[in-house]
Amino acid sequence: VVAAFTLPTGLLLFGAAGAGQAVPWGALALVTGLGILGLSAGTTFYSAITVNLRAREALLPALAFPILVPVVIATVKSTGLLLAGGPSAEVTTWLVFLAGFDVGTIILATLLFGFAVEG
């Protein structure tokens, strides 16, 4: 819900919307959904690992950072390419990477969740 308000507002504030080009809202919604899915899957898994630790406030960002960087890079690159020139083969490549990374993260987190909760 936050992304539904933040994305159009950010595009208007930064001048990406209304600059004479049509904004590919459908593709941007897909990128945003895949990005949110990847961020939430990785962060949820690592928060389950660190929930019972004493230094959880410091360990969660340190552990989750390597998993979240590919999601952020793919989301930013595909969003930038969409706003610069619309859908293209390079955007499709980034979206396939993002979708594959999301599926892999969800599968691994699901398989390892029992071990993470047990400690």
Side-chain angles (χ1 to χ4, degrees), residues 28 31 35 69-83 94 98:
L28 283 175
V31 170
V69 168
V71 173
V72 172
I73 289 173
T75 304
V76 169
K77 288 292 280 186
S78 57
T79 302
L81 290 168
L82 279 172
L83 293 176
W94 282 108
L98 188 58

Side-chain angles (χ1 to χ4, degrees), residues 10-89:
L11 291 176
L12 286 173
L13 288 175
F14 291 113
Q21 295 184 47
V23 177
W25 292 109
L28 283 175
L30 177 65
V31 170
T32 303
L34 288 174
I36 290 171
L37 183 64
L39 287 172
S40 63
T43 306
T44 302
F45 176 68
Y46 280 109
S47 65
I49 291 174
T50 61
V51 71
N52 293 324
L53 299 177
R54 190 178 304 169
R56 65 181 161 262
E57 293 85 9
L59 284 176
L60 178 61
L63 289 173
F65 183 74
I67 291 296
L68 300 181
V69 168
V71 173
V72 172
I73 289 173
T75 304
V76 169
K77 288 292 280 186
S78 57
T79 302
L81 290 168
L82 279 172
L83 293 176
S88 66

